[in-house]
Amino acid sequence: MTLRIATWNINSLRLRLPLLDRLVEALNPDVICLQETKVPDELFPAEALAPLGFPHVHYKGMKGYNGVAILSKIPLTSHDDAPDWCAKSDCRHAGVILSVPSGPIELHDFYVPAGGDIPDPVANPKYGHKLDFIAETRNWFTARNLTRTVLVGDLNIAPLEHDVWSHKQLLDVVSHTPPETEGLTAWLNAGFTDAMRHFVPDTEKLYTWWSYRNRDWRGSNRGRRLDHIWVTPDLKPKLAGMTIHTDARDWPQPSDHVPVCVELKV
DNA sequence: ATGGTGGGCAACCCA
């Protein structure tokens, strides 16, 4: 089958419910992984989502912040055997097993801490938390021997020179500092390949996020690639397509992130 | 060098 998996930092699921119709129309995904749902589980809008046509859901949310959700047309079972990252119980990760006819596929949906403004773990504990988080996830995935696994999400780090509009100007801006980019690359190398860069050479600019604090986001185009799709090497020959739906940045009341979708022949 | 905008949720926290 052709399996399409989309990832999107929706920045409030309840506020942007109507935009999910546009996402489905544009990308026709089988699975949607969301971040920053900002809704506690007891208030998850299951009824409002029902007409969208994704009967299988798995979500982990909390009041006000963070939160992840997986909406699927394919039957799934929850697979939350991962540790409580940094012992914070802050709803930044959901794992599922997708019951694909050719065999199960493991799927991880992550929302990595943004890390605050100051790139110093002592002066800014949020930055320290971010570095600790990606060290823990890296170690956990290294210790497992993964196949048929997809990892997606808002990883809040733009690892490559051309994942930001100006490598030089962002080297000490949180999201592109060497400790972050090196940490993210080490996590990637714990058993994955970068599915987006499989389709677009490292020398080409690639963004998934544009700040709200920019009047003309398209004109100035000061973007960053904060959202990622990784697959285990056995799935690399199955990669059939990748779309960054940049137009979503102009939807009414947009998220500052745009959806990314990958197509796998599995 | 600074401040710019947006969401949650009721004062600021977070991005």
Side-chain angles (χ1 to χ4, degrees):
Chain A
M1 71 173 288
T2 298
L3 174 67
R4 276 186 291 273
I5 300 175
T7 179
W8 188 29
N9 180 321
I10 193 169
N11 187 16
S12 175
L13 172 57
R14 285 174 291 179
L15 185 72
R16 280 182 247 285
L17 268 174
L19 298 187
L20 284 171
D21 292 320
R22 293 180 182 238
L23 184 151
V24 170
E25 188 186 2
L27 299 171
N28 190 24
D30 302 288
V31 183
I32 303 171
C33 296
L34 300 171
Q35 304 87 36
E36 279 203 275
T37 53
K38 296 184 176 177
V39 59
D41 289 347
E42 62 270 22
L43 295 177
F44 188 83
E47 286 168 34
L49 278 167
L52 198 63
F54 293 76
H56 312 283
V57 294
H58 180 54
Y59 46 83
K60 230 187 285 180
M62 58 190 281
K63 187 178 176 178
Y65 310 101
N66 309 333
V68 287
I70 298 174
L71 320 177
S72 178
K73 292 185 174 179
I74 296 160
L76 58 77
T77 53
S78 67
H79 187 251
D80 290 321
D81 62 337
D84 175 20
W85 310 110
C86 301
K88 284 186 180 287
S89 306
D90 54 359
C91 304
R92 294 181 180 275
H93 176 210
V96 297
I97 306 288
L98 298 173
S99 299
V100 174
S102 64
I105 288 187
E106 186 172 325
L107 173 65
H108 294 273
D109 180 10
F110 274 96
Y111 174 54
V112 170
D117 288 329
I118 304 160
D120 180 315
V122 178
N124 170 20
K126 286 190 236 171
Y127 184 71
H129 175 215
K130 184 179 198 176
L131 296 181
D132 292 345
F133 189 99
I134 61 174
E136 280 189 20
T137 51
R138 168 210 184 169
N139 290 336
W140 188 70
F141 281 100
T142 300
R144 306 175 82 223
N145 214 344
L146 292 177
T147 57
R148 287 177 73 87
T149 299
V150 178
L151 187 156
V152 308
D154 175 6
L155 306 185
N156 263 318
I157 297 170
L160 304 178
E161 177 177 345
H162 295 292
D163 291 338
V164 293
W165 63 275
S166 168
H167 174 62
K168 256 189 168 172
Q169 284 176 256
L170 289 173
L171 267 173
D172 56 2
V173 172
V174 175
S175 71
H176 195 60
T177 66
E180 294 171 88
T181 58
E182 287 161 18
L184 193 75
T185 301
W187 179 10
L188 171 72
N189 290 336
F192 297 98
T193 59
D194 183 335
M196 295 173 70
R197 284 297 182 188
H198 172 79
F199 294 98
V200 182
D202 290 3
T203 49
E204 204 171 301
K205 293 291 185 191
L206 210 53
Y207 311 139
T208 65
W209 173 90
W210 292 261
S211 172
Y212 283 126
R213 300 174 184 173
N214 211 317
R215 287 269 168 223
D216 182 8
W217 70 272
R218 205 188 279 274
S220 61
N221 198 24
R222 297 187 167 190
R224 305 179 201 169
R225 184 169 72 114
L226 303 180
D227 304 273
H228 298 271
I229 300 178
W230 298 349
V231 300
T232 47
D234 57 307
L235 290 180
K236 196 168 172 164
K238 319 278 190 189
L239 285 169
M242 189 279 294
T243 307
I244 301 176
H245 195 59
T246 306
D247 287 351
R249 192 61 181 77
D250 275 333
W251 285 345
Q253 266 200 306
S255 168
D256 46 354
H257 295 253
V258 299
V260 185
C261 191
V262 74
E263 188 171 297
L264 288 156
K265 302 280 188 193
V266 291

